[in-house]
Amino acid sequence: QLQLVESGGGLVQAGGSLRLSCAASGSVWSINAMAWYRQAPGKQRELVATATSNGRTNVAGTVKGRFAISRDNAQNTVFLQMNSLKPEDTAVYYCYAERQAGSFQAYWGQGTQVTVSS
């Protein structure tokens, strides 16, 4: 009932920037929180940043000071601004959303590839 589509990934040199977008469609009401995760080759998926409905945001310590998460007024799009990219940021970045209407539901996007070269 809720679809998440990521965009904005690509190839970038170390020190460069990318801006990821995640557009939610379908049952976009009652979304409690959205987040970005990433998974590098051979690694487990890790949380990168979160944005809750009350406007609070958090970023992981590994990217703090370089990444920023934000949401639009409709709360159906979440962004991840990535600056000063490092090769270790190379991963597939996944959008996540959770909502509670009649029941709690969690949704994942299909991911967008970010590759940082040195």
Side-chain angles (χ1 to χ4, degrees):
Q1 293 183 342
L2 183 68
Q3 295 80 45
L4 303 175
V5 180
E6 303 97 334
S7 62
L11 306 175
V12 64
Q13 294 187 23
S17 299
L18 286 174
R19 183 172 183 260
L20 306 183
S21 299
C22 174
S25 61
S27 302
V28 297
W29 56 89
S30 300
I31 295 177
N32 298 323
M34 301 184 73
W36 287 97
Y37 288 75
R38 68 183 182 185
Q39 187 167 21
K43 303 292 185 179
Q44 295 188 176
R45 188 171 300 184
E46 64 173 338
L47 178 65
V48 177
T50 60
T52 59
S53 297
N54 60 8
R56 299 183 65 180
T57 61
N58 287 286
V59 296
T62 52
V63 300
K64 188 171 296 183
R66 300 187 297 117
F67 291 10
I69 187 172
S70 61
R71 294 173 66 176
D72 68 4
N73 292 333
Q75 297 186 356
N76 59 6
T77 304
V78 64
F79 305 93
L80 185 68
Q81 179 66 47
M82 305 185 295
N83 299 322
S84 301
L85 283 162
K86 304 175 181 179
E88 51 263 45
D89 295 319
T90 295
V92 177
Y93 284 72
Y94 295 91
C95 183
Y96 167 88
E98 59 182 38
R99 63 184 296 270
Q100 186 165 5
S103 61
F104 176 84
Q105 296 288 333
Y107 300 90
W108 291 92
Q110 295 186 4
T112 183
Q113 177 71 49
V114 172
T115 303
V116 184
S117 64
S118 60

